[in-house]
Amino acid sequence: AQKITQTQPGMFVQEKEAVTLDCTYDTSDPSYGLFWYKQPSSGEMIFLIYQGSYDQQNATEGRYSLNFQKARKSANLVISASQLGDSAMYFCAMGANAGNNRKLIWGLGTSLAVNP
Amino acid sequence: IAGITQAPTSQILAAGRRMTLRCTQDMRHNAMYWYRQDLGLGLRLIHYSNTAGTTGKGEVPDGYSVSRANTDDFPLTLASAVPSQTSVYFCASSPNGENTEAFFGQGTRLTVV
């Protein structure tokens, strides 16, 4: 079965420090994508970063990087130099295009609080 | 219109009433989705559409219906609302399916009383 697990319901980090948000996944599909989204208290869902299962290098987008360890089936999000505006819910999701039942599988999210 | 737009942004609805949540995108994306987000349960897929003219059931389709008459619009209908359908509803689209970024609308907060 396809599944996304985020084991950290809540995280705290000091401003300007780096933080890692965990995400593990389970799938038997050979081709899949891994996503991270941010949802601030205002409610909108903001795409952060994407990693394809065949990508050789870890994805990076500004202060966001994805630590992709395929053998361990993990796709952790690393936020460097945390800012107060990074306080939000963070969701890991997985997409697969095998078969007709197409959908994104979502984790339950991690709430990140950045302390000044 | 820029991106993906949902309407209304919030609604209080009497149980038993019919309600259509609207979703429009101007990015010519093939795939569109409806999710509901509930505390402790994350995002759950209600229905999806891979291309105009086709729809499919997601994880929690009961009590909801969708249509995809054209590329841009993907309305979600609650035929007879019940209190358990109180939730925040998100519409999303992506160019070609689940291996590409999904763009989200701003959400519709629905309360069924």
Side-chain angles (χ1 to χ4, degrees):
Chain A
Q2 296 176 326
K3 186 178 180 181
I4 289 282
T5 303
Q6 294 180 254
T7 58
Q8 307 152 312
M11 290 280 287
F12 294 91
V13 65
Q14 206 65 29
E15 191 178 10
K16 299 181 184 178
E17 292 184 351
V19 63
T20 298
L21 306 184
D22 295 341
C23 173
T24 59
Y25 62 93
D26 191 15
T27 182
S28 57
D29 292 326
S31 175
Y32 53 89
L34 296 154
F35 302 80
W36 278 92
Y37 286 83
K38 172 185 178 182
Q39 187 178 38
S41 58
S42 52
E44 71 268 31
M45 198 70 75
I46 303 166
F47 167 77
L48 295 178
I49 197 166
Y50 166 81
Q51 178 87 42
S53 59
Y54 293 119
D55 293 344
Q56 295 297 313
Q57 293 189 332
N58 287 344
T60 61
E61 289 286 347
R63 294 186 299 110
Y64 304 108
S65 61
L66 202 152
N67 185 2
F68 182 47
Q69 297 189 38
K70 196 170 183 177
R72 295 184 177 184
K73 293 189 174 180
S74 73
N76 299 339
L77 177 70
V78 180
I79 305 174
S80 63
S82 298
Q83 302 173 356
L84 296 178
D86 293 335
S87 295
M89 282 290 291
Y90 289 81
F91 292 94
C92 180
M94 175 176 66
N97 58 5
N100 294 322
N101 191 18
R102 296 177 155 189
K103 59 182 182 288
L104 275 173
I105 312 294
W106 292 81
L108 294 183
T110 295
S111 177
L112 177 66
V114 180
N115 297 323
Chain B
I1 296 178
I4 188 164
T5 303
Q6 291 181 235
T9 55
S10 66
Q11 181 76 45
I12 299 174
L13 185 67
R17 296 295 295 269
R18 181 185 179 91
M19 173 79 188
T20 296
L21 307 185
R22 298 184 299 278
C23 176
T24 299
Q25 52 107 354
D26 64 355
M27 298 173 284
R28 307 303 292 171
H29 286 172
N30 285 322
M32 296 188 74
Y33 314 90
W34 274 106
Y35 293 93
R36 59 178 290 173
Q37 185 178 29
D38 302 287
L39 192 64
L41 297 175
L43 281 96
R44 293 181 292 169
L45 182 67
I46 305 170
H47 285 285
Y48 66 94
S49 169
N50 291 330
T51 60
T54 69
T55 62
K57 294 182 179 180
E59 184 182 354
V60 287
D62 294 344
Y64 305 95
S65 63
V66 292
S67 62
R68 187 87 184 276
N70 56 61
T71 298
D72 298 344
D73 301 301
F74 191 43
L76 175 74
T77 297
L78 289 68
S80 178
V82 295
S84 62
Q85 291 177 309
T86 294
S87 186
V88 179
Y89 291 85
F90 284 99
C91 180
S93 71
S94 67
N96 293 306
E98 286 69 30
N99 271 13
T100 55
E101 174 189 346
F103 294 80
F104 281 77
Q106 78 275 27
T108 294
R109 184 174 295 276
L110 180 67
T111 303
V112 182
V113 297

